[in-house]
């Protein structure tokens, strides 16, 4: 397969396969048709799949999310006009494959994800994870905090995911951010949920969440106040802190993302999500995850296409930061 840019030893990043020469539906899928990490030796941004969904409370299937996003990402192109940037020319972005996580033992899976993330971050790369359920945000945040100290968090989700336990279990997809606050891996002066909606177990859910330091921009706030105002507010809260963005695809309305495990009506449009992300382009984004894509419930790749574009905006933000030396 031919590549658009020359190999890394020449000093220039290896870009995606040229889709004007090799049909975009040909060959095994990597994210955005980028090279595999082992083909380029090292990366500035490592895209990595996390095939894990043993922490879910309802529909399973997010273990298949990473590969569905890779398949849908075949249609991404190398220039991002919304951010006026060619993300894969500004930095070496590569597909690092999947982390081999134990589906039968959540504690072990959490450790495996953390160890794999440590290895990626220790190489100096930023990390964009694809797939998995929201349980994995905890080990990813532990790893990011080990490198950067407590980070600002922007959490896009229908749900708070700051609940305490399910069936007595501490590590589930509904509890990662409570654990993260307890463990001190988050900068509690800069925590925001975006897109929150839907029924809760009780008002205490919100009281607990506020005590942990979270601010909430609900899905209805985005609709009423508009993308620009909301994004300004988020940007101010983040400031120059190292930032982690965690995106649960169920932040989107089920019309925009049916392929997910715990859908809630009344969510963001994919246009709103993409525009909010673009408005965060100047932020010091150190790593990000995109979770809860469950392809078995998807139709016509609606969810995985939205997810692939979301990951594209995130990798563009990271590449621009790298090119700017931040
Ligand atoms: N989709 C995520 N991450 N969490 C949803 C948990 C909602 C619940 O079962 O109560
Ligand atoms: Zn959710
Ligand atoms: Zn979630």
């Amino acid at each position: 397969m031919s590549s658009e840019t020359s190999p890394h030893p020449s000093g220039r990043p290896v870009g995606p396969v040229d889709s004007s020469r090799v049909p975009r539906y040909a060959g095994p899928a990597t994210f955005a048709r980028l090279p595999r990490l082992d083909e380029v030796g090292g990366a500035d941004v490592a895209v990595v799949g996390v095939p894990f969904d043993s922490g879910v409370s309802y529909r399973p299937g997010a273990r298949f999310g990473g590969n569905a996003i890779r398949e849908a990402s075949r249609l991404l192109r190398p220039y991002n006009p919304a951010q006026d940037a060619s993300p894969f020319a500004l930095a070496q972005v590569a597909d690092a494959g999947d982390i081999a996580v134990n589906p039968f033992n959540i504690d072990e899976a959490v450790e495996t994800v953390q160890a794999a993330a440590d290895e990626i971050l220790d190489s100096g790369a930023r990390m964009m994870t694809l797939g998995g359920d929201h349980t994995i945000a905890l080990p990813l945040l532990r790893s990011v905090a080990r490198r950067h100290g407590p980070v600002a968090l922007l959490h896009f989700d229908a749900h708070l995911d700051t609940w305490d336990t399910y069936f007595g279990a501490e590590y589930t997809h509904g509890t990662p951010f409570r654990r993260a606050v307890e463990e001190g891996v988050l900068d509690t002066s800069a925590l925001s949920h975006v897109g929150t909606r839907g029924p809760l177990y009780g008002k205490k859910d919100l009281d607990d969440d506020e005590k942990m330091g979270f601010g909430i921009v609900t899905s209805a706030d985005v609709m009423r106040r508009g993308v620009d105002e909301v994004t300004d507010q988020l940007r101010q809260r983040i400031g120059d802190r190292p930032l982690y963005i965690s995106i649960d695809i169920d932040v989107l309305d089920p019309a925009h993302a049916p392929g997910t495990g715990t859908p809630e009506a009344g969510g963001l449009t994919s246009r709103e999500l993409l525009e909010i992300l673009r408005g965060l382009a100047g932020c010091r984004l150190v790593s990000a995850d995109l979770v809860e894509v469950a392809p078995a419930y998807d139709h016509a790749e609606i969810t995985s296409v939205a997810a692939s574009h979301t990951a594209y905006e995130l990798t563009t933000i990271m590449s621009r930061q790298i090119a700017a030396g931040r």
Side-chain angles (χ1 to χ4, degrees):
M1 287 202 197
S2 65
S3 287
E4 248 164 31
T5 48
S6 59
H8 210 29
S10 73
R12 287 203 291 148
V14 182
V17 172
D18 182 348
S19 294
S20 68
R21 292 166 190 270
V22 184
R24 50 176 85 255
Y25 39 83
T30 56
F31 178 70
R33 311 193 80 199
L34 284 159
R36 298 191 315 264
L37 184 58
D38 62 0
E39 293 174 313
V40 287
D44 302 307
V45 179
V47 181
V48 58
V50 190
F52 173 82
D53 63 8
S54 306
V56 300
S57 56
Y58 199 51
R59 300 168 176 170
R63 65 180 62 182
F64 299 108
N67 279 335
I69 298 167
R70 287 188 178 106
E71 282 295 337
S73 74
R74 290 173 182 275
L75 196 48
L76 294 172
R77 300 179 192 86
Y79 174 65
N80 183 342
Q83 294 197 45
D84 186 22
S86 296
F88 311 134
L90 290 175
Q92 180 64 62
V93 187
D95 193 316
D98 287 343
I99 304 172
V101 243
N102 188 335
F104 302 109
N105 184 329
I106 296 181
D107 289 2
E108 188 190 313
V110 164
E111 280 173 26
T112 304
V113 171
Q114 190 183 340
D118 286 348
E119 197 180 316
I120 289 168
L121 295 179
D122 285 349
S123 79
R126 300 180 198 218
M127 186 172 48
M128 171 76 246
T129 65
L130 303 178
D133 75 49
H134 228 150
T135 309
I136 66 167
L138 176 65
L140 294 171
L141 281 166
R142 285 177 179 165
S143 182
V144 166
R146 177 176 164 269
R147 189 164 179 88
H148 297 280
V151 288
L153 173 70
L154 250 188
H155 168 221
F156 292 85
D157 202 324
H159 308 100
L160 300 168
D161 289 356
T162 51
W163 287 294
D164 192 3
T165 57
Y166 284 79
F167 293 81
E170 289 187 313
Y171 301 147
T172 77
H173 79 151
T175 58
F177 301 114
R178 181 182 288 245
R179 295 291 92 78
V181 169
E182 288 168 352
E183 294 182 16
V185 298
L186 296 177
D187 178 341
T188 53
S189 63
L191 307 180
S192 306
H193 303 295
V194 184
T196 318
R197 64 190 188 274
L200 300 171
Y201 297 94
K203 195 163 180 3
K204 184 172 179 299
D205 297 354
L206 292 171
D207 296 341
D208 286 357
D209 190 81
E210 192 181 348
K211 280 189 205 125
M212 287 175 230
F214 281 92
I216 297 182
V217 176
T218 66
S219 179
D221 290 335
V222 175
M223 184 260 298
R224 291 219 169 77
R225 294 171 51 205
V227 164
D228 290 343
E229 189 185 313
V230 159
T231 309
D232 278 350
Q233 181 198 325
L234 295 171
R235 229 190 288 110
Q236 275 173 33
R237 196 169 165 94
I238 296 158
D240 203 37
R241 296 173 177 85
L243 170 67
Y244 185 89
I245 297 184
S246 183
I247 301 188
D248 183 328
I249 203 66
D250 72 27
V251 72
L252 298 181
D253 191 87
H256 293 255
T260 196
T262 44
E264 309 280 351
L268 303 193
T269 65
S270 48
R271 183 172 56 213
E272 286 168 331
L273 174 61
L274 294 172
E275 277 298 304
I276 293 172
L277 294 177
R278 291 164 185 152
L280 299 168
C283 293
R284 201 144 70 84
L285 180 60
V286 293
S287 284
D289 67 56
L290 178 43
V291 297
E292 301 283 346
V293 172
Y297 300 93
D298 206 5
H299 304 273
E301 294 189 301
I302 295 171
T303 312
S304 45
V305 166
S308 74
H309 283 256
T310 301
Y312 183 63
E313 295 302 332
L314 293 166
T315 49
T316 304
I317 297 173
M318 289 189 223
S319 295
R320 289 177 67 187
Q321 290 283 306
I322 291 159
R326 289 180 23 105

